[in-house]
Structure formats: structure tokens, C-alpha cells
Amino acid sequence: MIQLSQPLSELDWIPRPKLTALKRLEIETVEDLLTHYPRRYEDRSEFAGFPRDESETAICICGEVVKTRLVRFGGWKKIFEATLEETNSNALSEPLVLRWFNLHYVQKMIATGQRLVVFGKPRLRGKRLCMEHPEFEVIENDDDISIHFRRITPIYPATEGLPQRVFRGLIYRVLENLALESVTTLLPKNVNLGTREHALHEIHFPTTKEQQVAAREHLVFSEFFAMQMVIGARRSAAASRSGQAHAGGGELLEKFLRGLAFDLTDAQARVIEEVRRDLASTQPMNRLLQGDVGSGKTVVAIAAMLLAVEGGFQTALMAPTQILAEQHYTVLSRWLEPLGVRLALRTAARQEESGALPLFTGDTGRSAPHVIIGTHALLYEGVSFENLGLVVIDEQHKFGVSQRARLTAREPAPDVLVMTATPIPRTLTMTVYGDLDVSVIDEMPSNRGKIVTAVREPAKLPEVLSFMRGQLEAGRQAYIVYPLIDESEKLDVKAAAAEFELWRERLRPFRCDLLHGRIPAPEKQAIMEQFRRGQTSALISTTVIEVGVDVPNATLMLIENAERFGLAQLHQLRGRIGRGAHKSYCILLSEEKSPETVAKLAVLEKTSDGFEVAEADWEMRGPGDLLGTAQSGLPALKLGDLKKDAAIMRQARAAATAVLGADPHLNSPENQRFRELIVEQHGRTFSNVS
Ligand code: ADP
Ligand code: MG
């Protein structure tokens, strides 16, 4: 008998080359193979009659090849034709002509006398009914008939080196010999969706359409349930950690707010209160702060840090890029040093500490920095913290769960605030961030100028240029963004380094600078600083400026080859402008006219709301790796669709909450399977389940 967890290489009847091909698809165990689900099904239990007319729906028919021929045209081009007749043809039957253009191998596979099953749309070509490039299978023997035909037949995602029938044959044989007891049903008892074993049979070789639908529901529920169990386990692990109250009295915060040149938005004030409550509690904070680009998350982070500093704790602020860490260091130094707060910067490239300053009242007199700002270096460079009370992670979607854990998994637990500019739709938040409490800044500061976004062809560059010059003359600044650094990256894309000279010409006499990832860190820092101070008018840059960079006087952004960026990324990039009172302009240069690109770029012309952009992205691309399952440490979804199956997700969430509510440590015998197969596989880092 075959075990579910068995490696396929142990099944000696699978030929080597097939194993290799499977491995390329990351199918290495029996379970991998059985969770390679069909893309669709063909009801071959009864074949359709031969068509009389053309139709828009594809049909599946079975017949006999009565003639084949090769037609040449235009020199080397070939059409291979096979004429198919109904098996019990009568005087009224019309043959169907199957046609393939320039597909040499098809010709080798099809011969007169064979029986074929074909799937495609019948079309009139002249007087003949034809199917062009149909999917087809040759019926070879009676065994074939029972596996591949006379049933609802699974059709697998097309793969190289592994034809449909190989997959079907392998899966059929594995299912026939699968040891029942090796297939654990990963659903709680009160969820009545049958056994996993049954579901696996029915998803691949459904007895009826209804059975297939039920099997899918079982498997989708299982996937979602596993995900929710991991999230739930993380949540309860976090909740059971012992923390400390970290909030000080708030005088320091008051001073900071009084010194600001603007009033907080209502949303900012509300979120600061939410954070203050968490900080004051001894329960460790695990809060996600969501807010569109430019909504003012940094101020909230500072408020949180000041409360913790006044409470006598050290705080850390982690950013994904050196440029952003430097910016935070600059901005925070300006705002906080006058309050007597000592800051330190820790990046791989640079370490700096602010000088001795008069201490604010209540300081214990230690000389360790109160606020440590850094990049990933904070995790690895042996930075030692004294009394770390609060960790803030900016642009958290750029970090993995394990990185987050590295900074926060210490005892006693520090409070954790992670910030993100909503790369995911609102409806998904609970799914993905179910282990966190969520605060949302749903309001932009009122002093913001509008952002106008326009898509232009490169041919329009002269007009674009004169517009840009007008803006620069009015004292504004510009970003010009390229997808790549230099042309060595092969693709036919104009690269920042090569185009820099050209832009200098175009924008003369305004000062331009070039910024990209390979420029040494101190120089990068100097370039940003000059731009921030307005000494440079235009920055020709790669996506190193994608996150966090805040220069309110920069109101112009031109993105070259905009089609090469994803929607979320374009929105992030565009978030660099529209940060001040002036009206801003984002020009997306692209000559690509494919419907997908046109639709994608049109979204940005239509809205500058990050939530709307995220929803549209989801609509167009599907959730894809939105979850970043690899990064989030959650089990992957192979079948479940976060949008279509949202109702199942809600049920799965409720089921997981119930199981963990009744048995938080998963100690009961019947919950062992969840603990072993779900939580331990995926949630180790955060799990208190031991
Ligand atoms: P993000 O949410 O993208 O991180 P930032 O925190 O960088 O946004 O804030 C963007 C800009 O808005 C900064 O220059 C900041 O000083 C400013 N800002 C923040 N809050 C307000 C406010 N309430 N009113 C006006 N400007 C604000
Ligand atoms: Mg920011």
C-alpha cells in the first residue's frame, strides 16, 4: 500500500524521467501528487453528438480518424488535417476536420483508424466544420477507456514533459493503492464534509458533478482551516507571553505634538489612543497599523516610541532600506533631539549616535540611546538592546515573519507595532493578519495637494518635458524612475545609468542626480540629503526610492516603462509625490498597448486611493502571491480562492477559533493531528504549542 507521505521515488513503477519531470514541478511526494489538482473537467461519460454548426462553447466528442493529410502553404508552413467521423455514422452525419498549424508532433501522433477524443470549438471554414488546435487524446486500449474516458475526466494544468494522460494514469494508480489510514482528515469533527480520502478520490475522478463540488469544498475548507489554525496558534502564543506595561505619562508626547507644525488628523489621534492603550497594558501589543502612502504613519510611530521612552524603555524602529532608515534618523533627530531623546542609527553601512544632550525629566541617567533606528542590520549585527520595550517595523510587508520574530521573540515580550501601506485589500486583512490587532488610518492630512496621474506614450515626451520644466521653474522637484539600473540586465529597457546624461541635457540648467542601489551607502545618503534640501531638482532613480521616502516639495514623477511594474508597486512609487500642499503629477510612460497593460495603468489614472488600487489589482491578477505565503509562513493555497471562497474562509475561521478556544494548547488526543500536521509544520516560530 502507498502512504500519503511517501516520496514518489519509492514507487518503483514510476519511470525515472517522469520523476524528474515531476520534481521540476515540485511534486516529490504522494501528497504533492494528489494535491496537484485538476484545472477543469470534461464530462466524457457521454460524448456530445457531432456538431452540425459552429458554436462558441467548446464540446467534447469521440470519433474515428478516417483520413489525414498535410497541406503546405507559404513555403515552409504546414497544416496537418485529420478528418474525424462519428463511430456509428449515418447518412446525416457530417465529418469534422481537425486542423493544426505547424505542429509537427501532432502529425506523428495521429493516424487513420485511431479513435480520438477531442475538445474544442467547432468553426465553419468555407463549407467545412473544423476544430483548430483542439485538445485531443488517442484511445489506445480498454484500460484507457476506464481511466481517461467514460467518466468525468480531470484535466490538469498543462505541463512540459508530462501529458494529461500520464498525470491521470499516475494519480489513478496511486489512488487505487493508497493506504486509507495514511490520509488524515484535517477538519474538526463537527464539520460535516466527509473524509479527506474520499475528497481526494472525488476531486480527481468524480463520480458525479455534485461529488466533485463537495470534494472541492472539503479540500478548500481544509486549506483555509489549516491557515486559520496557524494564525490562531500564533495569536494565542502571542497572547500567552508575559509582557510589561510600557507607557509613560505622556508629557514627552504632549511636548512633541505641541511642537509639530500641523495638527494630527482625527485618524492619527484615534490610532495613537489605540496604541497608548496597548502600551499601558501588560499584555504584549501586536498591532498592525495600516495606512495609505502619505497618510502619516511615522508620526504615530514616534508617538508610540515617545510613550515607551518616557516609560523608561528603549525602542527600535526597523525600516527595509538604508535610504528609509537614514531618512527616519534625520527626521527623528530633528524632532526628538530638542526633547532630549537620544537616537542611534544602525545600518550595515553606517552607525551613528546623537551626541550627549540635556536629558528630559524622568530620564534615569543611562547613556544608552532611547531610540535605535536601523535596517535588517538591527537583526544581525549583534546590536544589543537594553530593556527593549517597543519595536516598530515600518513597511512590514517587506519583511518576513521570521525576521519580525527575531526582533520580537525576547523575554519579557516587547510591544510590537508593524506598519504597512496596505498592499492587500481590506477584505483580506483578517485572513492574512488574523494574528494581529489592526488599526487603520483612513484619512489623509487635509493640507494635501491633489495627485493627477496620466499615461503617455514616449512620443509625447517633448510636451511632457516642457511641462516638467515649467514645474521645476516654479521651484518643484521631480523623480524620474527606471525599472533597472543599467543595461547589463539584458532586457530592452532604457536604464537609469545610461539615460542619466540624456536627462541632464533635457533638464538643463536644473541640477540632476542619479540614485540606484549599487551606489555606495554614504554617497546615496548625500544624494538624498541634497535632494531633500532642494539643492537638486531632479532625481533619476531606480526603485530604491519605492518605500517611505518623504520629500514634500517633490511633486512630479515620471515613470519609464511603467508597464513593467505591478499596480501595487506603481502606487507605492507614486506615493513619493503628493506629500505637500502643491498639486502633484505622475506621468506613466509606456508604449505597450496590450489590453492588460492599458487596463492596469488606467486604474492609476482613475484613483489615488490605495485600497481601491489593491482591490483592482486583486480583481485583475487574482490574489496570486498577495499573501506572500512563503514570507508569511502560512500554508500555501492550492485550491482555495480567497475571493470566490470567502464564505468558506469565514466558516474555517470560526471552526479554528472554536478548536483553539476549547483547547488552546491542542492537548486533547483528537486535536493531536492538527498540532502535528498543521501548527508544527507551519507555525513553529510563533507557536507556544510544544
Ligand atoms: P507614510 O504614512 O507614507 O509613512 P509619512 O509618515 O512619511 O507617511 O508622512 C508623510 C508626510 O506628511 C510627512 O512629511 C509628514 O510630516 C506629514 N504629515 C504627517 N501627519 C500630518 C498631518 N496630520 N498634517 C499634515 N502633514 C502631516
Ligand atoms: Mg512611511
Side-chain angles (χ1 to χ4, degrees), residues 566-584:
L567 261 183
Q569 200 180 5
L570 286 169
H571 180 69
Q572 276 283 337
L573 280 168
R574 178 174 63 175
R576 296 316 110 221
I577 58 172
R579 297 183 151 248
H582 294 284
K583 192 165 171 184
S584 290

Side-chain angles (χ1 to χ4, degrees), residues 260 262-265 268 291-300 327-328 331 335 394-395 419 421 441 444-448 548-552 575-576 579:
L260 276 182
F262 47 77
D263 290 330
L264 294 180
T265 61
Q268 282 171 319
D292 207 350
V293 281
S295 61
K297 295 184 287 295
T298 315
V299 169
V300 175
Q327 171 181 293
H328 281 325
V331 171
W335 276 341
D394 196 10
E395 308 289 351
M419 311 201 289
I441 303 188
M444 283 287 175
S446 58
N447 63 344
R448 288 297 151 80
V549 169
D550 182 48
V551 181
R576 296 316 110 221
R579 297 183 151 248

Side-chain angles (χ1 to χ4, degrees), residues 141-155:
N141 53 45
D142 289 346
D143 245 12
D144 262 14
I145 295 212
S146 67
I147 300 179
H148 304 286
F149 308 105
R150 298 275 160 75
R151 60 163 71 250
I152 300 174
T153 309
I155 308 292

Side-chain angles (χ1 to χ4, degrees), residues 640-676:
D641 178 327
L642 292 167
K643 194 153 203 148
K644 259 190 0 220
D645 301 317
I648 303 183
M649 179 63 90
R650 276 193 296 279
Q651 293 163 19
R653 188 176 160 77
T657 309
V659 169
L660 285 167
D663 182 12
H665 298 266
L666 299 180
N667 287 331
S668 81
E670 74 192 54
N671 286 337
Q672 287 314 299
R673 57 202 165 123
F674 302 144
R675 173 155 131 173
E676 283 162 21

Side-chain angles (χ1 to χ4, degrees), residues 501-677:
E501 285 307 319
L502 188 54
W503 276 103
R504 265 221 304 228
E505 273 312 307
R506 284 172 178 163
L507 298 180
R508 199 178 290 278
F510 298 101
R511 266 195 67 184
C512 300
D513 230 332
L514 175 67
L515 185 67
H516 59 70
R518 295 204 203 142
I519 290 178
E523 228 173 289
K524 236 191 273 179
Q525 164 61 6
I527 292 168
M528 271 321 294
E529 204 40 50
Q530 283 172 9
F531 188 67
R532 204 182 303 286
R533 293 211 197 100
Q535 292 159 348
T536 336
S537 292
L539 211 49
I540 291 61
S541 167
T542 57
T543 53
V544 289
I545 53 135
E546 178 184 345
V547 291
V549 169
D550 182 48
V551 181
N553 190 47
T555 58
L556 199 58
M557 175 170 281
L558 180 127
I559 303 180
E560 294 260 4
N561 294 97
E563 74 283 349
R564 300 205 43 206
F565 296 99
L567 261 183
Q569 200 180 5
L570 286 169
H571 180 69
Q572 276 283 337
L573 280 168
R574 178 174 63 175
R576 296 316 110 221
I577 58 172
R579 297 183 151 248
H582 294 284
K583 192 165 171 184
S584 290
Y585 302 89
C586 178
I587 298 151
L588 306 171
L589 273 191
S590 177
E591 51 192 342
E592 210 194 287
K593 289 281 175 290
S594 74
E596 298 80 45
T597 299
V598 171
K600 176 170 87 180
L601 300 182
V603 171
L604 294 161
E605 284 184 309
K606 207 181 85 203
T607 179
S608 42
D609 176 343
F611 287 118
E612 280 179 36
V613 173
E615 290 283 352
D617 198 20
W618 197 15
E619 204 64 59
M620 286 179 189
R621 278 190 322 141
D625 197 35
L626 215 53
L627 290 176
T629 40
Q631 204 196 49
S632 63
L634 296 174
L637 295 177
K638 291 187 172 182
L639 202 56
D641 178 327
L642 292 167
K643 194 153 203 148
K644 259 190 0 220
D645 301 317
I648 303 183
M649 179 63 90
R650 276 193 296 279
Q651 293 163 19
R653 188 176 160 77
T657 309
V659 169
L660 285 167
D663 182 12
H665 298 266
L666 299 180
N667 287 331
S668 81
E670 74 192 54
N671 286 337
Q672 287 314 299
R673 57 202 165 123
F674 302 144
R675 173 155 131 173
E676 283 162 21
L677 292 171

